[in-house]
Amino acid sequence: MGLKAQVKTSIIACIAFLVCAFELQAQSSTVPGHDPPSEASVKRPGSGWQSMMDTRRWREEVFRDAYADIVDALSNSHGESIPREELNFAELMLSQMFLVEAGSVAEAVEPANDIQAQRKKALLDAASVLMGQPIEDLSRSPLAATDRPDHGLWLALHAIATEDADMLARYIEPAFQGLSRQSPQVVQSVLPVLTEAAIELGNTALADSATALLSELPEVYASPAGHFLRGRNAELQGNLATALKSYLEAARGWERYAARARIALADMAIRDGGRGALLAARNVLTDGSDAWRGDRYELQVLMRHASISRQLGDDLDSLLLLAKVMSRFPNEPEIASARHEAEALLEAVYMSGAAGEIRLSQWMEVHLLILPFLEHMPEFAEYSELLADSVFELGGTVLAASEYRRTLALLGAAAGNKETSALTPDIVRVKLKLIKALSHAGLDDLALEEVDAIELSNLADLRNDVLAAKAEVLAKVGDRDRLLTTPVMNPGPTHLREIAYALFTRQRWEEAVNFYKRLRSDYPSAFSARDASYLLIAANRIGDTGTVHDVTRDFRELTESQEWADLAASLADAPIEMKPLAADNADAQMLRLQQTLKNLEDSGL
């Protein structure tokens, strides 16, 4: 990274720091380079540059008294003294780093003369740059006047606010000189900012002096900010061991500089590239994952964490982290990079899930988290379907049905048709999977509603698949009337069996025989003892002795039950004749048929 780029990064960090300047306010008013003002200079503006603004005029130990005096003076003021006391109040707030209050009070002042107008602008400009915002019309600002001994400070802070590295380099040393003329609270807030600027500018001597000066502010020195700045100074000077130690100490905190230390540790690990360094950095990032939230530093932590996880081969963790980036920072420039990386990881993660290499709970968590951000991808419906297929195979039929519905919604949205009434081949294919999942879940009524809702007129090649699914559901719900009127080309064994049995129950013996014989010839491995028994009975009723003897001969190969085999043989030995029978003979044979059916049902075959 070039010098200007490094400085720009530092400037951005400084701006963020200034916005939260209160975090680094210490309680002590003893600040290096300060001579306590005399009591006579505490209450009223001095002359020259101090008449515009002087934060040292208001000592912390007399803040309460000064506050009370100004309020009392305001209640008894009139004419030009009113805006004068209001400006005093704004300056008092500014000296204690109550920047919002100072700016609000100064903005409301109506100056009575040019001097008060200049003082108002000075206070507003100071509040702006201390909050990380540039000075409006710098050329006219009283803070930029060369007769102000602290003008270098305000110009350096303006350079930070405008990301002007060249201007910052010119005024960084005068800025430290000007800092010595500020109140303790201003020093405590701004010294770390200027220290980092000196470090990033590569001004080694000034950076070393500044980091040493931090030791005069114990609370800052021992804070994550102090540790981070010493670490950054050591890193840029090539002392990586010291930098690592300081960053690790800073990373134990829970504030902004702790988050920056984690980012720095991650960058060191990525440059190192060793597995040990990457694992150590990931541990630090994981431990501090909830320590700092809501700004660009959280974004950078998440992006570094995702990068390290990917280098370690943990695509699942990387995808989760990228999903968090897309969820929490949808409008940041980095979102494009995060989305690109996430898309590249999708296939690897979903293929691993389908192969059983990822726990289903983890896979589902990632899926639901990334769904709002990647569902626009044309292939995401395919990934959703793949997840549903895997869930179904594991027996999660209800969950699979839910995911198939989600897949249908994605396909419908991609086709510009949210209700998916205009069926595409992909939509029909997934609908058939949904129907199967609902049926296996015991939700046959819902399955039947789904299959009935499919319009058959424009299905072409998928028409037979839909009819087959419909026939299967009709068989399960026991609607044999509709089953018999649902034509299926090239029916499978289940469909043939259900049709044959439906015909059998209606005593349409000859048709039943034909379908059972077709089942036996086309799908011999699926032909069971139960099917053979019904075929024997139906064939017996129509006097088809050839079929009866043929099935009986092979019956022992279908069951291990001797009793069942003997029953089948008895039907072959005494077939029911298809001619007028004597009443007693007919009754006997019907009783034997009824007993056969009862035994068939009782056996569960």
Side-chain angles (χ1 to χ4, degrees):
M1 182 184 295
L3 175 60
K4 287 190 176 182
Q6 291 177 342
V7 173
K8 183 174 181 179
T9 300
S10 177
I11 288 173
I12 295 173
C14 292
I15 293 173
F17 183 88
L18 285 172
V19 172
C20 295
F22 293 127
E23 295 178 5
L24 295 174
Q25 288 188 39
Q27 297 301 315
S28 172
S29 61
T30 303
V31 176
H34 276 63
D35 295 321
S38 65
E39 186 64 27
S41 69
V42 169
K43 297 294 180 64
R44 291 293 178 264
S47 60
W49 66 271
Q50 291 173 313
S51 66
M52 293 294 101
M53 186 190 74
D54 182 9
T55 63
R56 292 187 66 189
R57 185 170 21 254
W58 312 94
R59 297 207 313 271
E60 183 180 18
E61 62 266 27
V62 297
F63 173 75
R64 186 186 298 271
D65 292 339
Y67 186 100
D69 287 349
I70 292 175
V71 171
D72 183 63
L74 279 170
S75 64
N76 296 299
S77 295
H78 54 84
E80 294 184 4
S81 62
I82 293 178
R84 182 189 67 204
E85 295 302 332
E86 290 174 337
L87 291 169
N88 282 340
F89 189 72
E91 188 179 272
L92 174 65
M93 295 293 103
L94 185 74
S95 71
Q96 308 303 309
M97 286 297 289
F98 297 132
L99 302 179
V100 175
E101 292 82 355
S104 178
V105 171
E107 186 64 43
V109 172
E110 296 183 4
N113 52 54
D114 288 342
I115 294 177
Q116 289 181 354
Q118 286 293 298
R119 191 178 180 203
K120 173 180 178 177
K121 178 165 176 55
L123 291 167
L124 287 173
D125 290 347
S128 291
V129 292
L130 287 174
M131 289 191 291
Q133 301 167 6
I135 293 174
E136 184 177 349
D137 193 1
L138 180 63
S139 62
R140 298 180 57 191
S141 176
L143 299 182
T146 56
D147 62 343
R148 283 192 67 95
D150 63 352
H151 78 282
L153 170 65
W154 307 113
L155 291 173
L157 293 178
H158 176 77
I160 290 173
T162 57
E163 303 181 16
D164 189 334
D166 293 332
M167 183 179 183
L168 179 61
R170 282 199 309 274
Y171 289 104
I172 186 64
E173 292 191 20
F176 279 94
Q177 298 168 10
L179 190 62
S180 66
R181 296 181 177 275
Q182 306 308 313
S183 69
Q185 290 71 33
V186 173
V187 172
Q188 291 157 7
S189 296
V190 175
L191 179 58
V193 176
L194 296 181
T195 299
E196 182 171 3
I199 292 170
E200 298 299 336
L201 284 168
N203 192 330
T204 305
L206 186 60
D208 288 343
S209 298
T211 53
L213 189 61
L214 287 172
S215 63
E216 299 297 325
L217 302 174
E219 291 191 19
V220 177
Y221 188 82
S223 71
H227 289 297
F228 173 82
L229 292 171
R230 293 195 296 279
R232 183 61 176 160
N233 192 37
E235 181 185 4
L236 291 184
Q237 294 187 34
N239 191 344
L240 299 185
T242 298
L244 180 63
K245 181 179 178 180
S246 296
Y247 285 149
L248 285 171
E249 189 63 34
R252 297 172 61 183
W254 288 72
E255 50 106 291
R256 179 177 280 105
Y257 274 103
R260 296 187 64 193
R262 296 183 194 104
I263 296 167
L265 286 168
D267 288 340
M268 290 179 70
I270 291 171
R271 287 193 297 270
D272 180 273
R275 185 170 179 81
L278 292 171
L279 286 170
R282 186 167 74 164
N283 287 339
V284 171
L285 294 172
T286 301
D287 291 343
S289 60
D290 294 322
W292 187 258
R293 303 285 291 272
D295 66 5
R296 62 187 310 273
Y297 293 122
E298 183 196 3
L299 170 61
Q300 291 180 16
V301 165
L302 290 171
M303 291 294 287
R304 300 304 199 283
H305 198 166
S307 177
I308 288 174
S309 290
R310 189 169 189 183
Q311 290 186 57
L312 289 170
D314 192 344
D315 290 346
L316 180 63
D317 187 53
S318 183
L319 190 56
L320 269 172
L321 290 162
L322 292 171
K324 288 182 181 179
V325 170
M326 292 182 284
S327 173
R328 297 177 187 172
F329 303 96
N331 300 316
E332 294 296 325
E334 291 86 347
I335 199 69
S337 173
R339 191 181 301 276
H340 178 73
E341 291 182 33
E343 291 173 353
L345 285 170
L346 269 177
E347 182 176 1
V349 168
Y350 278 76
M351 291 301 105
S352 295
E357 298 169 0
I358 299 174
R359 291 200 309 272
L360 180 61
S361 58
Q362 290 180 296
W363 189 9
M364 181 61 72
E365 179 186 4
V366 174
H367 177 72
L368 294 177
L369 188 57
I370 65 177
L371 177 66
F373 311 103
L374 300 179
E375 62 182 359
H376 69 284
M377 295 172 53
E379 62 268 34
F380 197 77
E382 179 182 342
Y383 292 130
S384 177
E385 182 182 352
L386 182 62
L387 173 60
D389 290 344
S390 297
V391 172
F392 181 79
E393 290 175 6
L394 292 173
T397 51
V398 174
L399 180 57
S402 175
E403 201 56 42
Y404 284 131
R405 290 190 188 279
R406 192 192 314 278
T407 303
L408 288 169
L410 293 173
L411 289 171
N417 173 32
K418 295 182 179 179
E419 296 183 358
T420 67
S421 57
L423 299 177
T424 65
D426 283 341
I427 288 175
V428 175
R429 177 176 48 76
V430 177
K431 273 186 171 290
L432 291 174
K433 290 184 177 182
L434 169 61
I435 291 164
K436 185 176 182 180
L438 291 170
S439 180
H440 280 249
L443 303 173
D444 296 308
D445 290 340
L446 292 178
L448 189 57
E449 287 180 13
E450 289 289 343
V451 77
D452 281 341
I454 299 177
E455 175 58 51
L456 297 173
S457 58
N458 298 316
L459 288 185
D461 295 340
L462 290 171
R463 177 184 177 87
N464 190 63
D465 294 334
V466 174
L467 290 172
K470 185 174 184 178
E472 184 175 345
V473 176
L474 289 170
K476 285 197 67 178
V477 300
D479 191 343
R480 296 189 177 91
D481 290 334
R482 291 183 64 191
L483 175 63
L484 292 174
T485 60
T486 302
V488 176
M489 295 177 60
N490 303 317
T494 300
H495 184 70
L496 288 173
R497 178 180 294 111
E498 295 296 340
I499 291 291
Y501 184 69
L503 294 167
F504 182 92
T505 58
R506 283 155 178 74
Q507 299 183 19
R508 292 163 61 175
W509 309 116
E510 187 171 356
E511 293 172 277
V513 167
N514 289 336
F515 273 93
Y516 274 123
K517 289 173 70 174
R518 185 175 174 183
L519 172 62
R520 185 186 180 207
S521 63
D522 292 353
Y523 304 98
S525 62
F527 189 72
S528 66
R530 181 189 182 105
D531 300 323
S533 299
Y534 284 130
L535 175 54
L536 280 172
I537 294 170
N540 215 316
R541 290 303 300 264
I542 64 174
D544 186 351
T545 56
T547 297
V548 170
H549 287 288
D550 190 28
V551 173
T552 302
R553 183 184 64 248
D554 298 332
F555 204 94
R556 291 189 181 280
E557 298 178 6
L558 302 176
T559 179
E560 296 179 357
S561 171
Q562 182 62 44
E563 180 182 359
W564 203 240
D566 291 343
L567 181 58
S570 70
L571 290 175
D573 293 340
I576 298 176
E577 299 178 8
M578 298 300 292
K579 61 182 180 180
L581 302 173
D584 56 346
N585 187 37
D587 290 343
Q589 293 191 34
M590 288 303 298
L591 286 172
R592 187 170 61 179
L593 265 178
Q594 292 173 6
Q595 186 61 44
T596 300
L597 290 170
K598 183 176 184 303
N599 291 341
L600 177 63
E601 296 298 335
D602 291 345
S603 71
L605 292 175

